[in-house]
Amino acid sequence: MPIGNLNVKLLEVTDNALALIYVACRQCYSANFAGQIFEDEIGNIKKQEEFVRQVVSSGHESPLEHVKFTFAIEGVSRALTHQLVRHRIASYSQQSQRYVKESDFDYIIPPLIEEDADMKKEYIDTMRKIQQSYNCLMSSFEKKGKKGEVANQDCRYVLPQAAETKIVVTMNCRQLLHFFKERCCSRAQWEIRRLSGEMLKICKQELSAVFNDAGAKCVLLGYCPEGEKFSCKRYPLKKDALRQSAPDTVISTEGRNLKCQ
């Protein structure tokens, strides 16, 4: 049956996340012990927020790896999770089609198909045919006395990428920033862009000092790196941004104006 309700729930975020990032960065430049810095500065939230914002803005991202977020996600397709797991610096635990029987699998309908009556009918008919084939194969296995994972592991080969799945995802803050740069972009596929948007909302609520300015690459660069053919026009192309900048300035890879030396 079709399902369209994306559900993203934050399961856990590292305790004292802001203080931890603050102390990790301070340790890089201090002769003092990080443990003592942590104890001395634990309640100074405003100071920590200002410092961490500067750290993120400067591009010093290694301290961000000490803090992680864990999300529970449902209402997404296997097509999405095939893209998601390409972000390798992360941990994933996904619902198994080998151990979970798909006798009445849910599936995701893409918006452009959803809004076209003829395409939607063809799509749903195809899903129903696949469901029938899956159930028929399961029945044949049962007649042979084979049930459970033995049957599931072979019958799952007919299941579509549209099949709904559930997954637990853990990423550290540095990887999340990279994830948002790539997947919040209008060039990303609609489903993973929708997921990244929901995850970003949660991250901003939990740790705004790190994620307040996070988003697609163009947000940080100040120009679109995708080229004229693929640009959404939200930001100027790099060549146009360079042309518009003052003669005595250049645009760095972080999108900030720096005086020529």
Side-chain angles (χ1 to χ4, degrees):
M1 59 187 295
I3 183 171
N5 296 324
L6 169 67
N7 185 19
V8 182
K9 181 177 181 179
L10 179 65
L11 296 182
E12 187 263 352
V13 60
T14 305
D15 289 340
N16 298 314
L18 182 66
L20 187 56
I21 294 172
Y22 172 82
V23 168
C25 188
R26 282 286 306 278
Q27 184 66 96
C28 297
Y29 307 102
S30 176
N32 297 327
F33 174 48
Q36 189 60 53
I37 299 173
F38 186 84
E39 293 296 329
D40 293 342
E41 303 284 358
I42 189 62
N44 202 335
I45 305 300
K46 184 177 180 180
K47 178 180 179 181
Q48 292 172 5
E49 285 184 340
E50 292 177 352
F51 185 83
V52 170
R53 289 181 193 277
Q54 292 175 0
V55 169
V56 175
S57 178
S58 73
H60 185 189
E61 295 183 341
S62 61
L64 305 182
E65 296 176 12
H66 295 289
V67 171
K68 62 181 179 62
F69 284 68
T70 298
F71 303 89
I73 300 166
E74 67 175 350
V76 295
S77 70
R78 281 265 169 172
L80 180 147
T81 57
H82 289 334
Q83 298 178 72
L84 181 61
V85 298
R86 291 173 187 161
H87 294 272
R88 295 178 178 87
I89 306 176
S91 298
Y92 304 100
S93 298
Q94 186 169 9
Q95 183 182 60
S96 171
Q97 292 178 334
R98 185 185 186 198
Y99 293 101
V100 179
K101 190 176 180 179
E102 299 279 9
S103 55
D104 187 23
F105 71 85
D106 293 325
Y107 53 88
I108 310 301
I109 302 179
L112 291 179
I113 294 178
E114 177 75 49
E115 66 188 29
D116 186 294
D118 292 336
M119 292 172 67
K120 182 177 179 180
K121 181 180 182 304
E122 176 66 25
Y123 189 90
I124 292 175
D125 287 346
T126 300
M127 294 299 116
R128 287 173 177 167
K129 290 174 184 176
I130 292 173
Q131 185 70 81
Q132 290 172 0
S133 295
Y134 179 91
N135 292 341
C136 182
L137 289 168
M138 290 294 294
S139 178
S140 296
F141 270 104
E142 289 176 4
K143 290 177 182 179
K144 294 176 179 291
K146 299 183 183 296
K147 298 182 180 180
E149 66 183 85
V150 175
N152 295 348
Q153 67 185 5
D154 286 348
C155 293
R156 63 179 170 170
Y157 278 77
V158 303
L159 293 172
Q161 290 196 81
E164 189 269 346
T165 188
K166 299 171 179 62
I167 191 168
V168 174
V169 179
T170 299
M171 292 185 185
N172 68 49
C173 290
R174 188 178 195 178
Q175 178 63 9
L176 280 165
L177 287 175
H178 171 73
F179 176 72
F180 296 141
K181 287 177 185 177
E182 299 299 324
R183 302 302 185 174
C184 288
C185 176
S186 63
R187 286 272 291 143
Q189 189 181 15
W190 67 271
E191 192 180 11
I192 198 166
R193 187 169 68 247
R194 181 180 66 169
L195 171 64
S196 66
E198 290 301 310
M199 291 169 63
L200 179 55
K201 287 179 186 177
I202 294 172
C203 289
K204 284 185 175 183
Q205 291 172 356
E206 293 291 326
L207 196 54
S208 62
V210 172
F211 295 103
N212 190 60
D213 296 323
K217 287 176 287 188
C218 57
V219 175
L220 295 175
L221 294 172
Y223 61 82
C224 175
E226 295 294 327
E228 189 167 1
K229 181 178 179 181
F230 302 112
S231 175
C232 69
K233 314 303 181 185
R234 180 182 177 188
Y235 283 86
L237 299 176
K238 182 177 181 179
K239 61 182 179 65
D240 295 329
L242 286 170
R243 189 180 302 118
Q244 293 169 8
S245 63
D248 65 337
T249 64
V250 295
I251 292 183
S252 74
T253 55
E254 294 299 326
R256 303 179 185 86
N257 287 336
L258 303 175
K259 290 288 182 181
C260 292
Q261 301 299 317

